[in-house]
Amino acid sequence: MRAYARIGWVRKSQFRWEFFNQVLMDSLFYVSSIATFTMLYALGDDSASGAVSLAGWSFADMKVFLGMTFVADALMMTFLGQQWHFGGDLKNGALDSFRVRPGPTAFLYFYQRFSPEGLTNLLIASGWLVYALSGVVGHQVSGWHVAWALPCAIGLIAFAQVFVSLFYCLVELWLMNSDLGQLSSQLFTTMGERPIDVYPSPMARFLLYVVPVAAVSWFPSSLVLGKLSGGFALAYPLVLVVFALIVVRIFRIGLRRYDSAMG
């Protein structure tokens, strides 16, 4: 990881304009997401009750949800950006050099593109999350609750992001020349950027248990905001562990079947 980080900093020191553009692009994504929900809540303003919610999420709740989404996106860009190149590398036989190196192939491949601009955006996203939490601490949840729940939520985001990203690549690994990995990544990541409460119940369960993008933003946000029952809050991380074990197992089987660009 130290070597990958050093290479990443050296690379971006040579492409400074690219660094600036990437930070700007992600910052515009944050601004557009915040603006979208701000307008939605403003249009739904009810002066009589003074309370507006989307599927049970108040504007203060949604700010926390957006903060978790931004942090998850920045973590992916910082450490897992190589997943966007997996399909091309798979078809070109570029995985061979990683398979013969000592160490886990998935780790060596996916963590190779350390992104300083992603780390910069992670600081921006963390700043928004702290701001959003300041609006709910003392009103909806206690400071003690946030103190223990927030580290658990961030750890869960990092864990879920790794194995959900690996899951997307499984489609490419088993169905070469399909480009379904990129399609599934775009589709399910976009769906995960909304609280699953807005979806019909079957779709919400699908996003919880089959392609668990809800673990990247909805579950951590709900945990910090105290929206979950104690039993579900304890049991769902075990579901993610089972999901991770299955994904890793299938990925390893796929690697054994892979035979360079002719596989």
Side-chain angles (χ1 to χ4, degrees), residues 172-189:
E172 295 278 2
L173 188 59
W174 286 83
L175 298 173
M176 291 186 65
N177 299 313
S178 64
D179 291 325
L180 289 177
Q182 290 280 9
L183 176 62
S184 59
S185 176
Q186 292 284 358
L187 173 63
F188 294 119
T189 298

Side-chain angles (χ1 to χ4, degrees), residues 35-56:
T36 297
F37 282 99
T38 300
M39 288 187 290
L40 285 174
Y41 280 92
L43 290 172
D45 187 19
D46 185 353
S47 57
S49 65
V52 180
S53 69
L54 294 176

Side-chain angles (χ1 to χ4, degrees), residues 86-146:
F86 184 78
D89 289 343
L90 187 70
K91 298 175 182 67
N92 296 330
L95 289 183
D96 288 343
S97 62
F98 294 92
R99 295 172 64 199
V100 299
R101 297 178 188 177
T105 301
F107 176 85
L108 292 171
Y109 178 82
F110 289 103
Y111 282 81
Q112 66 177 294
R113 192 177 291 267
F114 176 82
S115 171
E117 60 269 41
L119 186 61
T120 303
N121 286 112
L122 180 59
L123 296 176
I124 298 172
S126 299
W128 171 264
L129 180 58
V130 170
Y131 162 74
L133 288 172
S134 68
V136 298
V137 173
H139 302 285
Q140 297 175 231
V141 292
S142 67
W144 287 109
H145 175 83
V146 172

Side-chain angles (χ1 to χ4, degrees), residues 29-30 63-79 118-119 121-130 133 150 153-158 161 216-217 220-221:
F29 163 67
Y30 302 156
K63 289 179 180 178
V64 175
F65 178 87
L66 290 174
M68 294 292 183
T69 301
F70 298 160
V71 167
D73 177 74
L75 283 171
M76 190 278 292
M77 293 300 297
T78 302
F79 298 105
L119 186 61
N121 286 112
L122 180 59
L123 296 176
I124 298 172
S126 299
W128 171 264
L129 180 58
V130 170
L133 288 172
L150 183 60
I154 299 300
L156 190 69
I157 288 174
Q161 191 70 279
V216 177
S217 52
S221 304

